[in-house]
Amino acid sequence: GDLDKVVNLLLSLSGRLARVETALGSLGPHTPAEDKLALREKQRLLVAQLEDAKELKEHMGRREEAVGAMVARYLPAEHLQDYQHFVKMKSALITEQRELEEKIKLGQEQLRCLRESL
């Protein structure tokens, strides 16, 4: 459960940071300074939160290793391999699911914009 939360947090913060950076890149020369400042502040906060989330993931990795070592004492080799595979795949599948959700969201937004333009 913690793994789900940390991976989702990392993906969410990364996505939000990417959107803020895109918004910063698309600002024109006539954009009010307060808008630029607000976006830069949001970017700074998101970068700090992303670094904290990465540290949390590292901590989770160390905890996962400790749990894995404990589990290894009680499971036969075949079941231990299944457990290790499950843990690795779960993180990868969460990431893939999130990416697909983002693509669906983007596609829906593009479809909405197309409908509005017609």
Side-chain angles (χ1 to χ4, degrees):
D2 290 343
L3 179 63
D4 290 351
K5 292 174 187 172
V6 171
V7 170
N8 280 323
L9 176 63
L10 283 166
L11 293 171
S12 175
L13 289 171
S14 296
R16 290 172 57 199
L17 181 59
R19 286 190 294 276
V20 167
E21 289 175 346
T22 298
L24 276 169
S26 67
L27 293 178
H30 302 295
T31 303
E34 60 193 29
D35 291 349
K36 290 179 186 178
L37 187 61
L39 281 173
R40 285 193 184 113
E41 178 63 15
K42 187 179 256 187
Q43 180 187 31
R44 186 188 66 75
L45 289 172
L46 286 169
V47 166
Q49 289 175 341
L50 188 58
E51 289 303 314
D52 290 344
K54 286 178 182 178
E55 288 178 22
L56 186 59
K57 186 165 187 326
E58 289 173 11
H59 173 72
M60 292 283 306
R62 290 188 298 273
R63 191 172 89 181
E64 180 184 321
E65 288 176 19
V67 169
M70 187 175 13
V71 168
R73 286 187 238 150
Y74 298 101
L75 290 179
E78 179 183 312
H79 292 136
L80 180 61
Q81 287 177 343
D82 290 343
Y83 168 78
Q84 291 169 336
H85 178 72
F86 169 78
V87 171
K88 287 178 186 174
M89 289 306 298
K90 186 169 185 168
S91 180
L93 289 173
I94 291 169
T95 302
E96 187 176 337
Q97 178 186 7
R98 186 64 179 248
E99 288 173 357
L100 289 172
E101 288 171 353
E102 289 292 322
K103 287 179 181 179
I104 289 169
K105 190 176 175 181
L106 177 62
Q108 289 172 338
E109 188 174 320
Q110 289 174 338
L111 184 60
R112 183 185 55 77
C113 289
L114 282 171
R115 285 183 180 153
E116 287 175 2
S117 69
L118 294 176

